[in-house]
Amino acid sequence: MTTENVLEWIKTLSTKPQHYYCGTLNTKNEQSFGVYQLKERRARDVALGGLDNTKTAKKGISILVHWSSSTRATENAAASLYADLEAAQNAVIGGQKVNYIQLLHSEPIDVGTDENGICERVIEFILHYERS
């Protein structure tokens, strides 16, 4: 599963920005979602007996909600995406069945504004999916 796979899945959710990015947010367009690999490092879980006996894997994801100069509009867009992630069921991402979406914080994280005064929030989560 790749961050690009996750980006394609995010596009199917009900919250729709005008722009999507994967890995980098070069042009800084308003109303954008940027999908990144979660920077936090976690230990890999391998079952007793090795990879052949390991049925699941994890993918850490961070989504940057780069929205507008309005804190209210940005908060609402991030809350809507967060609700989409909470409600997601039967997700298949990159051909992998997702068993669980572990949201790492109780709400989107306010990370302030960028150099152009555009408000940003971040949603961090871990996808627990079936290995193929």
Side-chain angles (χ1 to χ4, degrees), residues 9 12-13 83-93 96-101 127:
W9 176 73
T12 70
L13 300 177
D84 287 346
L85 294 169
E86 278 185 313
Q89 295 181 7
N90 303 315
V92 176
I93 301 174
Q96 309 288 351
K97 180 181 180 225
V98 176
N99 295 325
Y100 177 58
I101 299 173
L127 297 166

Side-chain angles (χ1 to χ4, degrees), residues 44-65:
R44 184 169 185 191
D45 295 326
V46 177
L48 290 174
L51 281 177
D52 289 341
N53 294 321
T54 304
K55 305 297 182 217
T56 61
K58 298 176 186 178
K59 179 74 173 173
I61 297 293
S62 178
I63 299 179
L64 176 67
V65 177

Side-chain angles (χ1 to χ4, degrees), residues 11-99:
K11 289 180 178 180
T12 70
L13 300 177
S14 67
T15 305
K16 304 275 189 220
Q18 292 179 3
H19 308 278
Y20 296 88
Y21 298 92
C22 186
T24 184
L25 188 65
N26 289 338
T27 56
K28 294 277 194 171
N29 290 318
E30 290 187 29
Q31 295 191 12
S32 298
F33 289 165
V35 178
Y36 304 87
Q37 181 174 326
L38 190 63
K39 290 190 185 330
E40 181 180 336
R41 302 287 183 221
R42 294 178 180 258
R44 184 169 185 191
D45 295 326
V46 177
L48 290 174
L51 281 177
D52 289 341
N53 294 321
T54 304
K55 305 297 182 217
T56 61
K58 298 176 186 178
K59 179 74 173 173
I61 297 293
S62 178
I63 299 179
L64 176 67
V65 177
H66 176 86
W67 207 254
S68 74
S69 59
S70 166
T71 56
R72 180 180 294 157
T74 303
E75 181 177 19
N76 289 341
S80 180
L81 176 58
Y82 190 93
D84 287 346
L85 294 169
E86 278 185 313
Q89 295 181 7
N90 303 315
V92 176
I93 301 174
Q96 309 288 351
K97 180 181 180 225
V98 176
N99 295 325

